[in-house]
Amino acid sequence: MDVTSYVLLSHEQALRRRMDIVSNNMANLSTAGFKREDPLFHEYVEKSGGPDAATRTTSMVLDYGTVHDTSAGTFQVTDNPLDVMIEGPGYLSVQTPDGGTAYTRAGYLKVEQDGSLTNAAGMRVLGERGRPITVPPEQASRLTIGDDGTIRGPDGDIGRIAVTVFDNEGSVDPRGDGTFTGTGGRELTAEQTKLRSGGIEGSNVQPIVETTNMVAILRAYQSSMRMAETLGDMRKSAIDKLGRFG
């Protein structure tokens, strides 16, 4: 396989990766708190052979990962006083089944029979300094959540939902269940926290944009395939002529 074929193959692999990511974005159009992703590619430069190898290079595409779009989704009213949306950057902290910590923007919250405040997946919501929040069962149906994340019942404050931000969003990776893993996060103070109750944050995926991206990727892939076919025809023609000359 010559250098041109390697470059075309590199391009087609990058297009396939882009299509996978766009398809995943579309599949999560209705997922609460989902952040659309974009592929991240780096240029890989390979030196060519020959007497002028020091000056001749070939550029190919290297799949470097993905980056998620941190722009906010729209507020979707649920009329559930426990549902919240984070206004601004940050994530709700939840406790994973193995005792670790994960982060989410999906604000579907509920109180379990034992009084634990959990998300839709049953993971316990963490309050200040990483402590799980427990609600007295008799107050579970009469709770409100303030703008600063403070949970209040008929008898007073119960706890405050923690919001964690990451200065480097590149350290935040999706887990695949509506939650993220991350390192280097810091907890916001009550003054820095801004929650909106009575609804959740919708996905920030824009279907028209993603559909346009799909069409552009398909056309680019078709162009690459046509170029590969043209190069193949040129090789066949050259071999044919050389065979007749011999």
Side-chain angles (χ1 to χ4, degrees), residues 5-76:
S5 297
Y6 277 120
V7 172
L8 286 175
L9 179 59
S10 171
H11 181 226
E12 289 164 10
Q13 287 178 327
L15 289 172
R16 179 177 178 177
R17 174 63 171 156
R18 286 186 61 195
M19 182 62 82
D20 288 343
I21 292 173
V22 171
S23 299
N24 183 63
N25 289 341
M26 289 292 285
N28 286 280
L29 180 62
S30 301
T31 301
F34 179 81
K35 298 300 182 184
R36 66 177 296 276
E37 296 180 324
D38 282 314
L40 189 60
F41 297 111
H42 277 190
E43 181 183 26
Y44 177 76
V45 180
E46 177 74 18
K47 289 186 177 181
S48 304
D52 56 345
T55 57
R56 293 179 56 195
T57 59
T58 302
S59 293
M60 293 186 234
V61 181
L62 180 64
D63 182 6
Y64 193 71
T66 59
V67 59
H68 56 269
D69 178 0
T70 59
S71 61
T74 57
F75 181 73
Q76 298 179 353

Side-chain angles (χ1 to χ4, degrees), residues 47 67 69 93 125 150 176 194 229 246:
K47 289 186 177 181
V67 59
D69 178 0
S93 303
V125 177
T150 299
K194 180 67 174 177
E229 290 172 0

Side-chain angles (χ1 to χ4, degrees), residues 13-14 30 64 72 154 156 179 183 189 202 211 213 226:
Q13 287 178 327
S30 301
Y64 193 71
T179 62
T183 56
T189 64
T211 301
N213 288 339
R226 285 195 295 269

Side-chain angles (χ1 to χ4, degrees), residues 43-191:
E43 181 183 26
Y44 177 76
V45 180
E46 177 74 18
K47 289 186 177 181
S48 304
D52 56 345
T55 57
R56 293 179 56 195
T57 59
T58 302
S59 293
M60 293 186 234
V61 181
L62 180 64
D63 182 6
Y64 193 71
T66 59
V67 59
H68 56 269
D69 178 0
T70 59
S71 61
T74 57
F75 181 73
Q76 298 179 353
V77 177
T78 63
D79 291 326
N80 179 359
L82 292 184
D83 289 342
V84 294
M85 171 181 170
I86 301 173
E87 295 190 328
Y91 301 85
L92 303 179
S93 303
V94 293
Q95 189 177 66
T96 59
D98 61 2
T101 302
Y103 306 93
T104 183
R105 294 277 299 191
Y108 286 117
L109 305 184
K110 59 183 179 178
V111 178
E112 302 289 354
Q113 290 184 350
D114 64 355
S116 300
L117 183 67
T118 68
N119 68 352
M123 299 180 187
R124 300 192 69 178
V125 177
L126 301 179
E128 295 174 299
R129 293 182 289 280
R131 294 178 297 190
I133 297 174
T134 301
V135 176
E138 67 276 7
Q139 300 185 42
S141 62
R142 295 177 291 172
L143 300 176
T144 60
I145 299 178
D147 293 348
D148 63 353
T150 299
I151 302 173
R152 296 184 177 90
D155 297 334
D157 295 350
I158 295 171
R160 192 176 73 84
I161 298 173
V163 175
T164 301
V165 296
F166 296 85
D167 294 326
N168 177 19
E169 283 287 338
S171 67
V172 181
D173 296 311
R175 285 164 39 101
D177 55 358
T179 62
F180 300 83
T181 59
T183 56
R186 56 185 175 84
E187 188 179 304
L188 295 181
T189 64
E191 293 75 19

